Structure formats: structure tokens, C-alpha cells
Amino acid sequence: MHADLQVLLRLQEKDKVVLGVEAEMAALEPEAEALDRELEATTSELEAAQTRAEDADKRRADLEAKIETYRMMQERKRQKLEWVRGAKEASTLMAELDLARTVLAREEAEWVKSADRVEEAKELVQERDTLVQDLKTAQAPKREELSARMAELDDRLKAAKSDVPMHRRQKLLSGDSLETCEACGVLLYHEEE
């Protein structure tokens, strides 16, 4: 058997080891991706709950500002009523005060509902946060196992690649004594007699 062919066949065996380790590494990727997808979904739910809580809190703050504005308007009308002398003007101001009280009562009722929504949203955020933390805790052993396995495979891959002299492979592939079939890649050579 041709000497270069023997070397090339040994290289081919070493390449098979490299490819085998790479295949093992690729087989672990779906497991890691599944863990990541599960965590991403739960984290997305948490982020959505946080956004809803922030929106509810903003709505409550807006209602507080409106209520304060209505209270100030009502107080100004009450003070103005003290200085009014005419019955018609007093009657108009009394009607405006009644309307302001009605609007204020409606806004305060809405604020109470809003406060309840804020509390519900905060509870949901806490629940989702707990789910995320529980999921991270549950996934930790599997992630550590995958990480250790990947580290081991990475070490094996480095060792296997260092055992395959790339420059020698290129030299053999470009030599005159060995050729590859353009159609299928099979090595063609002339056996020495």
C-alpha cells in the first residue's frame, strides 16, 4: 500500500473522531435551546406583567392628578360662592359645585378601581417573578450538567484536532500521487508494484 495512502487513512480515522465529538456537541444544543426557550417564555410573561403593572400605576397617578385638579376647582368655586351677592350667580355656582362633586365622586370611584388593578398587577408580577426564579432553580442542575458535558466535549475536540496535522492533510491532498474523484470525493491512487 502506498505510504501516503496509509497516512491519509490514519488522518481519515482521526477526522472521524473529530466529527464524532462535533456530532455529540451538536446533539446537546437542542436540549440547551429548549431550556432557553422555556426560560424566555416565562421571562416574557414576567415582562408583560411588569408592563401592565407600570401602566396601571401610571393610570392611577393620572387619576390622582385629575382628582386633585377637581378638588382645587371645587375649592375655588366654594370660595367664590362666599363672595357672591346675587341669587342668580349663587345658583349657578351651586350647580357647578354639585356637578364638580359628582365628577369628583366618579373619579374617586375610578381611582379606587385603579388602585385594585394596581394591586392585582403587582401580585401577578410577584407570581411571575416567582415562576421565573423557580424555573431557574429547576433548570440549574440540567444546565450545569449540559455545561459540564459541553466543556468535556470541547476538551475532547481540542485534543482530537491537535492530533490531526492539518498541514499534512493539505500536502497529501495536493500531491501528485493521490487524487480525489471530482464526482464522489473517493481517493484515487496508483498502487506501487
Side-chain angles (χ1 to χ4, degrees), residues 93-137:
L93 278 174
M94 289 299 290
E96 288 177 5
L97 276 171
D98 286 342
L99 180 62
R101 270 190 228 109
T102 303
V103 170
L104 185 59
R106 188 177 63 232
E107 292 296 329
E108 286 174 340
E110 183 62 30
W111 181 87
V112 170
K113 290 178 188 174
S114 176
D116 291 342
R117 285 191 291 268
V118 167
E119 288 307 312
E120 291 169 4
K122 286 182 179 180
E123 288 173 9
L124 184 62
V125 167
Q126 186 60 40
E127 178 185 312
R128 296 294 186 232
D129 187 50
T130 301
L131 285 174
V132 168
Q133 298 309 318
D134 290 348
L135 184 60
K136 285 180 179 179
T137 301

Side-chain angles (χ1 to χ4, degrees), residues 23-145:
E24 286 182 62
M25 291 176 88
L28 292 179
E29 288 177 14
E31 289 182 57
E33 289 171 357
L35 292 173
D36 290 342
R37 278 192 306 273
E38 184 180 17
L39 184 59
E40 278 179 27
T42 306
T43 302
S44 293
E45 291 174 6
L46 171 61
E47 290 169 355
Q50 288 171 331
T51 299
R52 284 192 298 270
E54 290 168 4
D55 291 345
D57 201 33
K58 184 180 183 304
R59 171 79 174 131
R60 182 177 61 175
D62 291 345
L63 284 170
E64 286 174 1
K66 281 175 73 175
I67 289 170
E68 186 59 32
T69 301
Y70 286 131
R71 283 187 180 145
M72 287 176 18
M73 287 172 44
Q74 188 177 17
E75 184 59 32
R76 277 191 234 126
K77 289 182 193 292
R78 197 175 299 129
Q79 289 174 358
K80 190 174 182 182
L81 184 61
E82 292 175 10
W83 297 97
V84 172
R85 299 285 178 222
K88 184 177 180 184
E89 193 176 353
S91 174
T92 303
L93 278 174
M94 289 299 290
E96 288 177 5
L97 276 171
D98 286 342
L99 180 62
R101 270 190 228 109
T102 303
V103 170
L104 185 59
R106 188 177 63 232
E107 292 296 329
E108 286 174 340
E110 183 62 30
W111 181 87
V112 170
K113 290 178 188 174
S114 176
D116 291 342
R117 285 191 291 268
V118 167
E119 288 307 312
E120 291 169 4
K122 286 182 179 180
E123 288 173 9
L124 184 62
V125 167
Q126 186 60 40
E127 178 185 312
R128 296 294 186 232
D129 187 50
T130 301
L131 285 174
V132 168
Q133 298 309 318
D134 290 348
L135 184 60
K136 285 180 179 179
T137 301
Q139 285 185 353
K142 185 66 174 172
R143 286 185 181 275
E144 288 174 15
E145 177 187 326

Side-chain angles (χ1 to χ4, degrees), residues 138-158:
Q139 285 185 353
K142 185 66 174 172
R143 286 185 181 275
E144 288 174 15
E145 177 187 326
L146 284 172
S147 179
R149 184 77 177 123
M150 285 298 277
E152 175 206 338
L153 289 171
D154 191 48
D155 290 344
R156 283 180 45 204
L157 182 63
K158 287 177 184 173

